Amino acid sequence: ILTKVTIRNVKTGAELTYTLVSDQEANLKEKKISVNSTIAKGLIGKKVGDVAEVQTPGGLLTFEILDISI
């Protein structure tokens, strides 16, 4: 929790930085996602340089982990 993760969507090239927070603190507008969200679950345990495939309601997304910080 409170870890910042910068990812790049492999398909679109879009880079995003999210802070992993508890369910109560989650706020997508503030780029805070719950550790229990689909995307966060797909990122947990990964390290910089890894590629994570995340199944979302909108389909399969592939992210490259660019940075992880506290």
Side-chain angles (χ1 to χ4, degrees):
I1 293 186
L2 298 180
T3 298
K4 286 190 178 187
V5 180
T6 302
I7 56 176
R8 177 175 41 236
N9 183 315
V10 172
K11 184 176 180 180
T12 66
E15 290 185 19
L16 302 162
T17 300
Y18 291 115
T19 302
L20 304 182
V21 298
S22 68
D23 290 334
Q24 295 81 9
E25 296 176 88
N27 183 329
L28 195 53
K29 289 182 181 180
E30 294 178 5
K31 299 198 186 281
K32 295 178 179 179
I33 59 173
S34 166
V35 293
N36 294 313
S37 70
T38 304
I39 292 176
K41 286 181 178 180
L43 300 176
I44 291 174
K46 303 289 189 212
K47 60 184 189 289
V48 173
D50 284 353
V51 173
E53 291 187 342
V54 179
Q55 186 64 48
T56 69
L60 185 67
L61 298 177
T62 305
F63 298 107
E64 179 184 359
I65 314 294
L66 302 178
D67 187 52
I68 299 171
S69 61
I70 296 176

Tab-separated table of all heavy atoms in Angstrom:
chain	number	residue	atom	x	y	z
A	1	ILE	N	0.855	-1.187	0.000
A	1	ILE	CA	0.000	0.000	0.000
A	1	ILE	C	0.896	1.244	0.000
A	1	ILE	O	1.957	1.239	0.604
A	1	ILE	CB	-0.964	-0.021	1.208
A	1	ILE	CG1	-1.944	-1.175	1.032
A	1	ILE	CG2	-1.693	1.293	1.332
A	1	ILE	CD1	-3.025	-1.240	2.061
A	2	LEU	N	0.427	2.271	-0.689
A	2	LEU	CA	1.129	3.539	-0.889
A	2	LEU	C	2.360	3.407	-1.776
A	2	LEU	O	3.213	4.272	-1.784
A	2	LEU	CB	1.488	4.207	0.441
A	2	LEU	CG	0.291	4.591	1.313
A	2	LEU	CD1	0.764	5.247	2.596
A	2	LEU	CD2	-0.673	5.501	0.577
A	3	THR	N	2.431	2.340	-2.538
A	3	THR	CA	3.488	2.176	-3.527
A	3	THR	C	3.028	2.841	-4.820
A	3	THR	O	1.884	2.687	-5.229
A	3	THR	CB	3.752	0.679	-3.781
A	3	THR	OG1	4.183	0.085	-2.566
A	3	THR	CG2	4.807	0.476	-4.847
A	4	LYS	N	3.936	3.593	-5.450
A	4	LYS	CA	3.624	4.201	-6.742
A	4	LYS	C	4.190	3.313	-7.835
A	4	LYS	O	5.339	2.887	-7.767
A	4	LYS	CB	4.230	5.601	-6.850
A	4	LYS	CG	3.504	6.624	-6.038
A	4	LYS	CD	3.994	8.017	-6.361
A	4	LYS	CE	3.190	9.009	-5.545
A	4	LYS	NZ	3.493	10.385	-5.909
A	5	VAL	N	3.368	3.066	-8.839
A	5	VAL	CA	3.766	2.217	-9.952
A	5	VAL	C	3.522	2.979	-11.251
A	5	VAL	O	2.423	3.477	-11.479
A	5	VAL	CB	2.955	0.902	-9.959
A	5	VAL	CG1	3.375	0.024	-11.121
A	5	VAL	CG2	3.100	0.161	-8.656
A	6	THR	N	4.569	3.083	-12.057
A	6	THR	CA	4.428	3.692	-13.376
A	6	THR	C	4.421	2.569	-14.401
A	6	THR	O	5.322	1.724	-14.409
A	6	THR	CB	5.573	4.682	-13.667
A	6	THR	OG1	5.578	5.684	-12.658
A	6	THR	CG2	5.402	5.336	-15.039
A	7	ILE	N	3.381	2.574	-15.231
A	7	ILE	CA	3.214	1.519	-16.226
A	7	ILE	C	3.005	2.141	-17.606
A	7	ILE	O	2.602	3.294	-17.733
A	7	ILE	CB	2.017	0.611	-15.879
A	7	ILE	CG1	0.728	1.423	-15.726
A	7	ILE	CG2	2.298	-0.200	-14.636
A	7	ILE	CD1	-0.522	0.594	-15.465
A	8	ARG	N	3.296	1.334	-18.639
A	8	ARG	CA	3.021	1.763	-20.010
A	8	ARG	C	2.123	0.712	-20.648
A	8	ARG	O	2.434	-0.492	-20.603
A	8	ARG	CB	4.301	1.905	-20.821
A	8	ARG	CG	4.017	2.288	-22.279
A	8	ARG	CD	5.211	2.570	-23.160
A	8	ARG	NE	6.298	1.653	-22.948
A	8	ARG	CZ	7.546	2.038	-22.624
A	8	ARG	NH1	7.848	3.300	-22.462
A	8	ARG	NH2	8.491	1.142	-22.478
A	9	ASN	N	1.028	1.176	-21.206
A	9	ASN	CA	0.147	0.291	-21.951
A	9	ASN	C	0.885	-0.084	-23.233
A	9	ASN	O	1.207	0.782	-24.041
A	9	ASN	CB	-1.169	1.008	-22.261
A	9	ASN	CG	-2.166	0.120	-22.970
A	9	ASN	OD1	-1.828	-0.589	-23.906
A	9	ASN	ND2	-3.411	0.183	-22.525
A	10	VAL	N	1.202	-1.347	-23.411
A	10	VAL	CA	2.007	-1.811	-24.547
A	10	VAL	C	1.304	-1.502	-25.873
A	10	VAL	O	1.955	-1.128	-26.842
A	10	VAL	CB	2.322	-3.318	-24.404
A	10	VAL	CG1	2.991	-3.865	-25.643
A	10	VAL	CG2	3.188	-3.564	-23.172
A	11	LYS	N	-0.001	-1.605	-25.906
A	11	LYS	CA	-0.755	-1.397	-27.146
A	11	LYS	C	-0.806	0.073	-27.550
A	11	LYS	O	-0.587	0.409	-28.707
A	11	LYS	CB	-2.170	-1.948	-26.999
A	11	LYS	CG	-3.002	-1.861	-28.253
A	11	LYS	CD	-4.360	-2.504	-28.068
A	11	LYS	CE	-5.177	-2.403	-29.344
A	11	LYS	NZ	-6.499	-3.021	-29.164
A	12	THR	N	-1.083	0.961	-26.582
A	12	THR	CA	-1.280	2.375	-26.911
A	12	THR	C	-0.043	3.235	-26.654
A	12	THR	O	0.041	4.349	-27.148
A	12	THR	CB	-2.437	2.971	-26.096
A	12	THR	OG1	-2.072	2.985	-24.709
A	12	THR	CG2	-3.723	2.179	-26.293
A	13	GLY	N	0.879	2.742	-25.817
A	13	GLY	CA	2.056	3.526	-25.456
A	13	GLY	C	1.788	4.528	-24.344
A	13	GLY	O	2.692	5.245	-23.926
A	14	ALA	N	0.558	4.592	-23.860
A	14	ALA	CA	0.202	5.537	-22.800
A	14	ALA	C	0.883	5.154	-21.498
A	14	ALA	O	0.886	3.982	-21.107
A	14	ALA	CB	-1.307	5.565	-22.603
A	15	GLU	N	1.494	6.145	-20.829
A	15	GLU	CA	2.131	5.927	-19.536
A	15	GLU	C	1.245	6.488	-18.433
A	15	GLU	O	0.712	7.582	-18.556
A	15	GLU	CB	3.504	6.598	-19.488
A	15	GLU	CG	4.515	5.919	-20.372
A	15	GLU	CD	5.917	6.490	-20.237
A	15	GLU	OE1	6.204	7.161	-19.231
A	15	GLU	OE2	6.723	6.250	-21.155
A	16	LEU	N	1.110	5.714	-17.361
A	16	LEU	CA	0.280	6.102	-16.231
A	16	LEU	C	1.015	5.787	-14.945
A	16	LEU	O	1.728	4.795	-14.863
A	16	LEU	CB	-1.039	5.323	-16.240
A	16	LEU	CG	-1.903	5.475	-17.492
A	16	LEU	CD1	-2.914	4.353	-17.561
A	16	LEU	CD2	-2.596	6.815	-17.472
A	17	THR	N	0.833	6.646	-13.944
A	17	THR	CA	1.373	6.382	-12.616
A	17	THR	C	0.214	6.297	-11.646
A	17	THR	O	-0.624	7.199	-11.574
A	17	THR	CB	2.347	7.497	-12.180
A	17	THR	OG1	3.421	7.558	-13.112
A	17	THR	CG2	2.905	7.214	-10.781
A	18	TYR	N	0.154	5.191	-10.933
A	18	TYR	CA	-0.890	4.972	-9.939
A	18	TYR	C	-0.261	4.746	-8.576
A	18	TYR	O	0.834	4.192	-8.475
A	18	TYR	CB	-1.719	3.725	-10.271
A	18	TYR	CG	-2.589	3.856	-11.490
A	18	TYR	CD1	-2.363	3.073	-12.609
A	18	TYR	CD2	-3.644	4.755	-11.519
A	18	TYR	CE1	-3.171	3.179	-13.727
A	18	TYR	CE2	-4.454	4.873	-12.627
A	18	TYR	CZ	-4.208	4.080	-13.732
A	18	TYR	OH	-5.008	4.190	-14.841
A	19	THR	N	-0.974	5.164	-7.536
A	19	THR	CA	-0.611	4.835	-6.166
A	19	THR	C	-1.568	3.749	-5.700
A	19	THR	O	-2.784	3.884	-5.854
A	19	THR	CB	-0.727	6.073	-5.251
A	19	THR	OG1	0.119	7.106	-5.754
A	19	THR	CG2	-0.315	5.732	-3.823
A	20	LEU	N	-1.008	2.667	-5.158
A	20	LEU	CA	-1.839	1.571	-4.649
A	20	LEU	C	-2.263	1.902	-3.226
A	20	LEU	O	-1.413	2.166	-2.375
A	20	LEU	CB	-1.066	0.258	-4.700
A	20	LEU	CG	-0.508	-0.141	-6.068
A	20	LEU	CD1	0.195	-1.490	-5.974
A	20	LEU	CD2	-1.583	-0.169	-7.123
A	21	VAL	N	-3.558	1.904	-2.983
A	21	VAL	CA	-4.112	2.304	-1.690
A	21	VAL	C	-5.171	1.298	-1.242
A	21	VAL	O	-5.529	0.383	-1.987
A	21	VAL	CB	-4.729	3.722	-1.771
A	21	VAL	CG1	-3.681	4.762	-2.113
A	21	VAL	CG2	-5.870	3.771	-2.773
A	22	SER	N	-5.692	1.505	-0.040
A	22	SER	CA	-6.776	0.655	0.457
A	22	SER	C	-8.060	0.955	-0.320
A	22	SER	O	-8.161	1.967	-1.023
A	22	SER	CB	-7.010	0.922	1.943
A	22	SER	OG	-7.541	2.230	2.115
A	23	ASP	N	-9.043	0.075	-0.176
A	23	ASP	CA	-10.326	0.271	-0.861
A	23	ASP	C	-10.951	1.620	-0.529
A	23	ASP	O	-11.501	2.283	-1.401
A	23	ASP	CB	-11.315	-0.839	-0.473
A	23	ASP	CG	-10.948	-2.193	-1.054
A	23	ASP	OD1	-10.276	-2.236	-2.103
A	23	ASP	OD2	-11.341	-3.209	-0.458
A	24	GLN	N	-10.861	2.041	0.732
A	24	GLN	CA	-11.492	3.279	1.170
A	24	GLN	C	-10.837	4.525	0.575
A	24	GLN	O	-11.481	5.557	0.423
A	24	GLN	CB	-11.455	3.389	2.710
A	24	GLN	CG	-12.265	2.339	3.428
A	24	GLN	CD	-11.543	0.996	3.557
A	24	GLN	OE1	-10.366	0.870	3.263
A	24	GLN	NE2	-12.266	-0.022	3.978
A	25	GLU	N	-9.557	4.450	0.243
A	25	GLU	CA	-8.832	5.609	-0.284
A	25	GLU	C	-8.834	5.682	-1.807
A	25	GLU	O	-8.401	6.679	-2.377
A	25	GLU	CB	-7.377	5.568	0.192
A	25	GLU	CG	-7.206	5.692	1.686
A	25	GLU	CD	-5.748	5.549	2.070
A	25	GLU	OE1	-5.049	6.577	2.083
A	25	GLU	OE2	-5.319	4.409	2.332
A	26	ALA	N	-9.301	4.636	-2.468
A	26	ALA	CA	-9.251	4.573	-3.927
A	26	ALA	C	-10.016	5.741	-4.544
A	26	ALA	O	-11.124	6.074	-4.129
A	26	ALA	CB	-9.820	3.253	-4.416
A	27	ASN	N	-9.379	6.395	-5.524
A	27	ASN	CA	-9.975	7.527	-6.223
A	27	ASN	C	-9.261	7.644	-7.569
A	27	ASN	O	-8.138	8.138	-7.631
A	27	ASN	CB	-9.832	8.811	-5.404
A	27	ASN	CG	-10.511	9.988	-6.063
A	27	ASN	OD1	-10.598	10.083	-7.282
A	27	ASN	ND2	-10.991	10.901	-5.245
A	28	LEU	N	-9.894	7.193	-8.621
A	28	LEU	CA	-9.251	7.152	-9.929
A	28	LEU	C	-8.848	8.544	-10.416
A	28	LEU	O	-7.803	8.699	-11.053
A	28	LEU	CB	-10.159	6.472	-10.948
A	28	LEU	CG	-9.508	6.034	-12.248
A	28	LEU	CD1	-8.279	5.165	-11.996
A	28	LEU	CD2	-10.495	5.315	-13.125
A	29	LYS	N	-9.637	9.570	-10.089
A	29	LYS	CA	-9.291	10.940	-10.505
A	29	LYS	C	-7.972	11.387	-9.888
A	29	LYS	O	-7.247	12.187	-10.472
A	29	LYS	CB	-10.403	11.921	-10.134
A	29	LYS	CG	-11.636	11.757	-10.979
A	29	LYS	CD	-12.686	12.779	-10.620
A	29	LYS	CE	-13.932	12.567	-11.463
A	29	LYS	NZ	-14.971	13.537	-11.155
A	30	GLU	N	-7.656	10.868	-8.705
A	30	GLU	CA	-6.401	11.199	-8.024
A	30	GLU	C	-5.316	10.164	-8.334
A	30	GLU	O	-4.251	10.165	-7.721
A	30	GLU	CB	-6.626	11.274	-6.518
A	30	GLU	CG	-7.535	12.414	-6.102
A	30	GLU	CD	-7.785	12.445	-4.603
A	30	GLU	OE1	-7.186	11.647	-3.851
A	30	GLU	OE2	-8.607	13.285	-4.182
A	31	LYS	N	-5.624	9.263	-9.285
A	31	LYS	CA	-4.706	8.195	-9.700
A	31	LYS	C	-4.337	7.282	-8.527
A	31	LYS	O	-3.204	6.837	-8.393
A	31	LYS	CB	-3.468	8.769	-10.374
A	31	LYS	CG	-3.834	9.563	-11.632
A	31	LYS	CD	-2.663	9.759	-12.516
A	31	LYS	CE	-2.988	10.659	-13.678
A	31	LYS	NZ	-3.691	10.039	-14.745
A	32	LYS	N	-5.322	7.011	-7.677
A	32	LYS	CA	-5.172	6.092	-6.557
A	32	LYS	C	-6.085	4.899	-6.832
A	32	LYS	O	-7.291	5.070	-6.964
A	32	LYS	CB	-5.578	6.748	-5.241
A	32	LYS	CG	-4.685	7.905	-4.834
A	32	LYS	CD	-5.171	8.531	-3.542
A	32	LYS	CE	-4.282	9.676	-3.108
A	32	LYS	NZ	-4.764	10.287	-1.865
A	33	ILE	N	-5.473	3.702	-6.935
A	33	ILE	CA	-6.289	2.518	-7.183
A	33	ILE	C	-6.155	1.544	-6.018
A	33	ILE	O	-5.114	1.448	-5.391
A	33	ILE	CB	-5.935	1.830	-8.520
A	33	ILE	CG1	-4.468	1.391	-8.568
A	33	ILE	CG2	-6.265	2.743	-9.698
A	33	ILE	CD1	-4.110	0.558	-9.798
A	34	SER	N	-7.232	0.845	-5.765
A	34	SER	CA	-7.269	-0.125	-4.673
A	34	SER	C	-6.345	-1.296	-4.960
A	34	SER	O	-6.247	-1.760	-6.104
A	34	SER	CB	-8.698	-0.633	-4.503
A	34	SER	OG	-8.710	-1.789	-3.686
A	35	VAL	N	-5.692	-1.774	-3.904
A	35	VAL	CA	-4.848	-2.965	-4.052
A	35	VAL	C	-5.687	-4.174	-4.452
A	35	VAL	O	-5.151	-5.166	-4.921
A	35	VAL	CB	-4.045	-3.280	-2.765
A	35	VAL	CG1	-3.022	-2.211	-2.491
A	35	VAL	CG2	-4.961	-3.481	-1.581
A	36	ASN	N	-7.000	-4.080	-4.291
A	36	ASN	CA	-7.902	-5.172	-4.657
A	36	ASN	C	-8.478	-5.022	-6.063
A	36	ASN	O	-9.268	-5.848	-6.499
A	36	ASN	CB	-9.042	-5.286	-3.640
A	36	ASN	CG	-8.523	-5.705	-2.286
A	36	ASN	OD1	-7.737	-6.634	-2.172
A	36	ASN	ND2	-8.939	-5.012	-1.254
A	37	SER	N	-8.085	-3.962	-6.775
A	37	SER	CA	-8.582	-3.768	-8.135
A	37	SER	C	-7.929	-4.768	-9.081
A	37	SER	O	-6.860	-5.314	-8.807
A	37	SER	CB	-8.299	-2.337	-8.607
A	37	SER	OG	-6.903	-2.150	-8.807
A	38	THR	N	-8.560	-4.970	-10.200
A	38	THR	CA	-8.054	-5.918	-11.200
A	38	THR	C	-6.644	-5.532	-11.651
A	38	THR	O	-5.764	-6.388	-11.749
A	38	THR	CB	-9.004	-5.951	-12.413
A	38	THR	OG1	-10.312	-6.270	-11.963
A	38	THR	CG2	-8.566	-6.973	-13.420
A	39	ILE	N	-6.437	-4.251	-11.936
A	39	ILE	CA	-5.123	-3.812	-12.418
A	39	ILE	C	-4.059	-4.004	-11.340
A	39	ILE	O	-2.990	-4.543	-11.598
A	39	ILE	CB	-5.167	-2.350	-12.901
A	39	ILE	CG1	-6.013	-2.263	-14.177
A	39	ILE	CG2	-3.755	-1.809	-13.154
A	39	ILE	CD1	-6.228	-0.874	-14.708
A	40	ALA	N	-4.349	-3.572	-10.116
A	40	ALA	CA	-3.365	-3.710	-9.029
A	40	ALA	C	-3.022	-5.181	-8.788
A	40	ALA	O	-1.850	-5.522	-8.622
A	40	ALA	CB	-3.882	-3.071	-7.749
A	41	LYS	N	-4.014	-6.036	-8.789
A	41	LYS	CA	-3.749	-7.465	-8.573
A	41	LYS	C	-2.828	-8.026	-9.652
A	41	LYS	O	-1.996	-8.879	-9.389
A	41	LYS	CB	-5.057	-8.256	-8.528
A	41	LYS	CG	-5.827	-8.063	-7.240
A	41	LYS	CD	-7.096	-8.892	-7.240
A	41	LYS	CE	-7.846	-8.741	-5.942
A	41	LYS	NZ	-9.078	-9.537	-5.909
A	42	GLY	N	-2.968	-7.517	-10.877
A	42	GLY	CA	-2.115	-7.968	-11.961
A	42	GLY	C	-0.690	-7.451	-11.864
A	42	GLY	O	0.230	-8.022	-12.433
A	43	LEU	N	-0.499	-6.345	-11.115
A	43	LEU	CA	0.821	-5.738	-10.981
A	43	LEU	C	1.586	-6.229	-9.756
A	43	LEU	O	2.811	-6.224	-9.755
A	43	LEU	CB	0.690	-4.208	-10.901
A	43	LEU	CG	0.051	-3.514	-12.100
A	43	LEU	CD1	-0.096	-2.025	-11.812
A	43	LEU	CD2	0.846	-3.756	-13.364
A	44	ILE	N	0.872	-6.642	-8.724
A	44	ILE	CA	1.513	-7.052	-7.476
A	44	ILE	C	2.437	-8.251	-7.735
A	44	ILE	O	2.064	-9.207	-8.406
A	44	ILE	CB	0.465	-7.363	-6.396
A	44	ILE	CG1	-0.223	-6.061	-5.982
A	44	ILE	CG2	1.085	-8.056	-5.190
A	44	ILE	CD1	-1.383	-6.227	-5.033
A	45	GLY	N	3.637	-8.143	-7.218
A	45	GLY	CA	4.623	-9.205	-7.382
A	45	GLY	C	5.522	-9.010	-8.593
A	45	GLY	O	6.488	-9.741	-8.767
A	46	LYS	N	5.212	-8.021	-9.404
A	46	LYS	CA	6.034	-7.749	-10.584
A	46	LYS	C	7.154	-6.785	-10.219
A	46	LYS	O	7.111	-6.104	-9.206
A	46	LYS	CB	5.189	-7.133	-11.703
A	46	LYS	CG	4.002	-7.952	-12.124
A	46	LYS	CD	4.408	-9.180	-12.881
A	46	LYS	CE	3.178	-9.853	-13.474
A	46	LYS	NZ	3.280	-11.273	-13.553
A	47	LYS	N	8.191	-6.726	-11.078
A	47	LYS	CA	9.291	-5.796	-10.857
A	47	LYS	C	9.500	-4.963	-12.117
A	47	LYS	O	8.924	-5.263	-13.168
A	47	LYS	CB	10.557	-6.535	-10.454
A	47	LYS	CG	11.071	-7.546	-11.457
A	47	LYS	CD	12.281	-8.280	-10.906
A	47	LYS	CE	12.958	-9.142	-11.921
A	47	LYS	NZ	12.270	-10.323	-12.318
A	48	VAL	N	10.321	-3.934	-12.015
A	48	VAL	CA	10.584	-3.056	-13.145
A	48	VAL	C	11.097	-3.886	-14.322
A	48	VAL	O	11.953	-4.754	-14.163
A	48	VAL	CB	11.600	-1.954	-12.759
A	48	VAL	CG1	11.999	-1.137	-13.983
A	48	VAL	CG2	11.026	-1.050	-11.684
A	49	GLY	N	10.529	-3.634	-15.481
A	49	GLY	CA	10.898	-4.366	-16.685
A	49	GLY	C	9.969	-5.520	-17.004
A	49	GLY	O	9.938	-6.003	-18.132
A	50	ASP	N	9.205	-5.969	-16.015
A	50	ASP	CA	8.261	-7.061	-16.247
A	50	ASP	C	7.086	-6.576	-17.090
A	50	ASP	O	6.758	-5.389	-17.116
A	50	ASP	CB	7.706	-7.605	-14.927
A	50	ASP	CG	8.684	-8.493	-14.181
A	50	ASP	OD1	9.752	-8.812	-14.736
A	50	ASP	OD2	8.372	-8.856	-13.036
A	51	VAL	N	6.445	-7.513	-17.754
A	51	VAL	CA	5.219	-7.238	-18.494
A	51	VAL	C	4.092	-7.980	-17.790
A	51	VAL	O	4.219	-9.156	-17.461
A	51	VAL	CB	5.343	-7.691	-19.962
A	51	VAL	CG1	4.019	-7.556	-20.689
A	51	VAL	CG2	6.430	-6.886	-20.667
A	52	ALA	N	3.015	-7.252	-17.528
A	52	ALA	CA	1.862	-7.837	-16.839
A	52	ALA	C	0.661	-7.838	-17.776
A	52	ALA	O	0.355	-6.817	-18.384
A	52	ALA	CB	1.538	-7.035	-15.580
A	53	GLU	N	0.016	-8.985	-17.891
A	53	GLU	CA	-1.226	-9.075	-18.647
A	53	GLU	C	-2.364	-9.087	-17.638
A	53	GLU	O	-2.377	-9.905	-16.720
A	53	GLU	CB	-1.245	-10.322	-19.516
A	53	GLU	CG	-0.258	-10.252	-20.653
A	53	GLU	CD	-0.376	-11.412	-21.622
A	53	GLU	OE1	-0.981	-12.445	-21.262
A	53	GLU	OE2	0.138	-11.273	-22.735
A	54	VAL	N	-3.295	-8.149	-17.816
A	54	VAL	CA	-4.374	-7.978	-16.854
A	54	VAL	C	-5.707	-8.124	-17.571
A	54	VAL	O	-5.987	-7.402	-18.538
A	54	VAL	CB	-4.290	-6.577	-16.184
A	54	VAL	CG1	-5.422	-6.385	-15.197
A	54	VAL	CG2	-2.940	-6.390	-15.509
A	55	GLN	N	-6.523	-9.061	-17.100
A	55	GLN	CA	-7.853	-9.244	-17.673
A	55	GLN	C	-8.801	-8.263	-17.002
A	55	GLN	O	-9.000	-8.311	-15.790
A	55	GLN	CB	-8.338	-10.681	-17.466
A	55	GLN	CG	-9.641	-10.984	-18.154
A	55	GLN	CD	-9.551	-10.895	-19.667
A	55	GLN	OE1	-8.644	-11.439	-20.274
A	55	GLN	NE2	-10.476	-10.191	-20.275
A	56	THR	N	-9.362	-7.340	-17.767
A	56	THR	CA	-10.310	-6.356	-17.254
A	56	THR	C	-11.661	-6.579	-17.920
A	56	THR	O	-11.737	-7.302	-18.924
A	56	THR	CB	-9.832	-4.913	-17.562
A	56	THR	OG1	-9.910	-4.697	-18.974
A	56	THR	CG2	-8.415	-4.674	-17.069
A	57	PRO	N	-12.708	-5.955	-17.402
A	57	PRO	CA	-14.017	-6.093	-18.058
A	57	PRO	C	-13.981	-5.648	-19.532
A	57	PRO	O	-14.726	-6.143	-20.356
A	57	PRO	CB	-14.933	-5.197	-17.234
A	57	PRO	CG	-14.291	-5.180	-15.877
A	57	PRO	CD	-12.808	-5.220	-16.145
A	58	GLY	N	-13.066	-4.728	-19.852
A	58	GLY	CA	-12.953	-4.243	-21.225
A	58	GLY	C	-12.058	-5.088	-22.107
A	58	GLY	O	-11.868	-4.778	-23.282
A	59	GLY	N	-11.469	-6.131	-21.556
A	59	GLY	CA	-10.591	-7.001	-22.329
A	59	GLY	C	-9.218	-7.116	-21.698
A	59	GLY	O	-8.954	-6.560	-20.638
A	60	LEU	N	-8.339	-7.824	-22.369
A	60	LEU	CA	-6.993	-8.070	-21.865
A	60	LEU	C	-6.109	-6.848	-22.134
A	60	LEU	O	-6.030	-6.375	-23.264
A	60	LEU	CB	-6.394	-9.305	-22.542
A	60	LEU	CG	-5.035	-9.762	-22.025
A	60	LEU	CD1	-5.143	-10.270	-20.593
A	60	LEU	CD2	-4.464	-10.836	-22.932
A	61	LEU	N	-5.462	-6.335	-21.087
A	61	LEU	CA	-4.535	-5.218	-21.211
A	61	LEU	C	-3.136	-5.713	-20.872
A	61	LEU	O	-2.957	-6.515	-19.963
A	61	LEU	CB	-4.927	-4.080	-20.270
A	61	LEU	CG	-6.292	-3.439	-20.491
A	61	LEU	CD1	-6.551	-2.382	-19.426
A	61	LEU	CD2	-6.383	-2.825	-21.876
A	62	THR	N	-2.149	-5.195	-21.586
A	62	THR	CA	-0.762	-5.567	-21.341
A	62	THR	C	0.012	-4.331	-20.948
A	62	THR	O	0.010	-3.325	-21.666
A	62	THR	CB	-0.137	-6.205	-22.593
A	62	THR	OG1	-0.950	-7.312	-22.996
A	62	THR	CG2	1.277	-6.703	-22.313
A	63	PHE	N	0.666	-4.389	-19.784
A	63	PHE	CA	1.405	-3.262	-19.254
A	63	PHE	C	2.857	-3.636	-19.032
A	63	PHE	O	3.157	-4.733	-18.559
A	63	PHE	CB	0.838	-2.809	-17.898
A	63	PHE	CG	-0.575	-2.330	-17.947
A	63	PHE	CD1	-1.596	-3.090	-17.429
A	63	PHE	CD2	-0.884	-1.114	-18.512
A	63	PHE	CE1	-2.915	-2.655	-17.457
A	63	PHE	CE2	-2.196	-0.651	-18.554
A	63	PHE	CZ	-3.215	-1.432	-18.022
A	64	GLU	N	3.754	-2.716	-19.336
A	64	GLU	CA	5.153	-2.859	-18.965
A	64	GLU	C	5.376	-2.022	-17.708
A	64	GLU	O	4.945	-0.880	-17.641
A	64	GLU	CB	6.060	-2.355	-20.081
A	64	GLU	CG	7.545	-2.456	-19.718
A	64	GLU	CD	8.453	-1.882	-20.774
A	64	GLU	OE1	7.980	-1.409	-21.818
A	64	GLU	OE2	9.667	-1.891	-20.539
A	65	ILE	N	6.039	-2.603	-16.712
A	65	ILE	CA	6.323	-1.879	-15.472
A	65	ILE	C	7.564	-1.013	-15.707
A	65	ILE	O	8.638	-1.525	-15.978
A	65	ILE	CB	6.616	-2.858	-14.301
A	65	ILE	CG1	5.595	-3.999	-14.252
A	65	ILE	CG2	6.730	-2.097	-12.996
A	65	ILE	CD1	4.211	-3.634	-13.928
A	66	LEU	N	7.398	0.299	-15.609
A	66	LEU	CA	8.494	1.233	-15.839
A	66	LEU	C	9.200	1.651	-14.562
A	66	LEU	O	10.405	1.871	-14.555
A	66	LEU	CB	7.992	2.488	-16.569
A	66	LEU	CG	7.313	2.252	-17.924
A	66	LEU	CD1	6.828	3.573	-18.483
A	66	LEU	CD2	8.276	1.570	-18.880
A	67	ASP	N	8.442	1.792	-13.464
A	67	ASP	CA	9.031	2.268	-12.210
A	67	ASP	C	8.155	1.846	-11.052
A	67	ASP	O	6.917	1.790	-11.180
A	67	ASP	CB	9.182	3.788	-12.229
A	67	ASP	CG	9.936	4.318	-11.028
A	67	ASP	OD1	11.043	3.809	-10.759
A	67	ASP	OD2	9.429	5.230	-10.346
A	68	ILE	N	8.807	1.555	-9.936
A	68	ILE	CA	8.104	1.252	-8.683
A	68	ILE	C	8.802	2.036	-7.599
A	68	ILE	O	10.024	1.978	-7.470
A	68	ILE	CB	8.160	-0.253	-8.350
A	68	ILE	CG1	7.494	-1.073	-9.460
A	68	ILE	CG2	7.490	-0.525	-6.994
A	68	ILE	CD1	7.686	-2.576	-9.318
A	69	SER	N	8.028	2.829	-6.834
A	69	SER	CA	8.624	3.613	-5.751
A	69	SER	C	7.685	3.679	-4.570
A	69	SER	O	6.498	3.414	-4.689
A	69	SER	CB	8.958	5.023	-6.241
A	69	SER	OG	7.787	5.701	-6.654
A	70	ILE	N	8.263	4.035	-3.426
A	70	ILE	CA	7.456	4.136	-2.198
A	70	ILE	C	7.170	5.592	-1.905
A	70	ILE	O	7.949	6.448	-2.133
A	70	ILE	CB	8.203	3.496	-1.012
A	70	ILE	CG1	8.363	2.014	-1.303
A	70	ILE	CG2	7.447	3.715	0.283
A	70	ILE	CD1	9.173	1.259	-0.269
